[in-house]
Amino acid sequence: MTALALGGASVDGGLYTSVTDLARHTPHAVNTLIAAWSDYGLALFAVLMLAAWWRARRAGGTAIVRALAAPVIVVVCYAADTLLKSAVDEQRPCRTLHAVTVEACPAAGDWSFPSNHAVIAAAAAITLIRVDRRLGLIAAPAALLMAASRVWIGVHYPHDVAVGLALGAGLAWCLVSLADRAAPLVDRLAGTRLRPLVTAS
């Protein structure tokens, strides 16, 4: 971990500077759009998870269990990423390489590896795929675009977002399978005042 923290630029610093150089010569309107997506695009995944829950109320079974577990799974993945980030302590590339970036470099101590945004997006996408494939087909490319945007605006190395995607996807897949065990609890909710939470009928 220490080697990565000290030498993140040696992993793919060249690719990072190629991307930020390209961004620097891209029209301002395009960069503004990408930056807005990078900063606020995670809201799309929240909307998709809400839609997945609404649709799962009609499907029942494992779909509703997974839909209800989705926000919890994303939070757990974020927490795991935060712990890893604190252990690695990789400086942001915009501080190490002093590149001209689309967005201002985060403050010192706001570590780079892995990318929180990539972890959250990947975890949400995998969970959505396993709840509702149609919504998952929207979430999956959106997660890739979120990861790419973090490099484009200059706040992450490519390896930060690649590992973030892998971590979020892998952990979410395991947690969805674990959540399936809560099916009996959800079935019991159908006989309580919380019935509208788990069924549309």
Side-chain angles (χ1 to χ4, degrees):
M1 293 291 191
T2 303
L4 181 60
L6 294 176
S10 66
V11 177
D12 50 17
L15 178 57
Y16 167 82
T17 54
S18 294
V19 173
T20 54
D21 284 346
L22 179 60
R24 188 157 54 93
H25 294 95
T26 295
H28 177 71
V30 175
N31 282 334
T32 298
L33 183 63
I34 294 173
W37 165 251
S38 188
D39 291 338
Y40 305 111
L42 290 180
L44 171 65
F45 298 96
V47 171
L48 290 175
M49 284 191 287
L50 184 61
W53 162 73
W54 188 258
R55 288 161 62 95
R57 289 167 68 246
R58 296 189 179 279
T62 57
I64 189 63
V65 174
R66 293 173 179 182
L68 291 172
V72 178
I73 290 171
V74 171
V75 169
V76 171
C77 290
Y78 170 75
D81 172 61
T82 300
L83 290 174
L84 180 56
K85 207 165 194 170
S86 297
V88 175
D89 290 355
E90 179 191 72
Q91 285 285 359
R92 296 276 181 173
C94 41
R95 292 198 168 275
T96 302
L97 299 175
H98 306 291
V100 177
T101 57
V102 172
E103 287 203 349
C105 196
D110 186 345
W111 308 116
S112 188
F113 176 90
S115 163
N116 289 138
H117 282 69
V119 168
I120 291 169
I126 288 298
T127 307
L128 284 163
I129 286 171
R130 298 194 65 186
V131 175
D132 188 308
R133 190 168 295 275
R134 288 185 179 180
L135 295 176
L137 290 176
I138 298 172
L144 295 175
L145 289 173
M146 175 57 68
S149 74
R150 303 303 289 169
V151 180
W152 185 270
I153 67 172
V155 297
H156 281 291
Y157 290 108
H159 70 263
D160 294 337
V161 299
V163 172
L165 288 172
L167 175 63
L171 186 53
W173 186 273
C174 296
L175 290 173
V176 169
S177 298
L178 186 62
D180 287 348
R181 298 181 183 180
L185 175 60
V186 172
D187 289 340
R188 283 198 289 273
L189 288 177
T192 71
R193 295 179 186 177
L194 297 176
R195 180 182 178 83
L197 191 66
V198 298
T199 180
S201 60

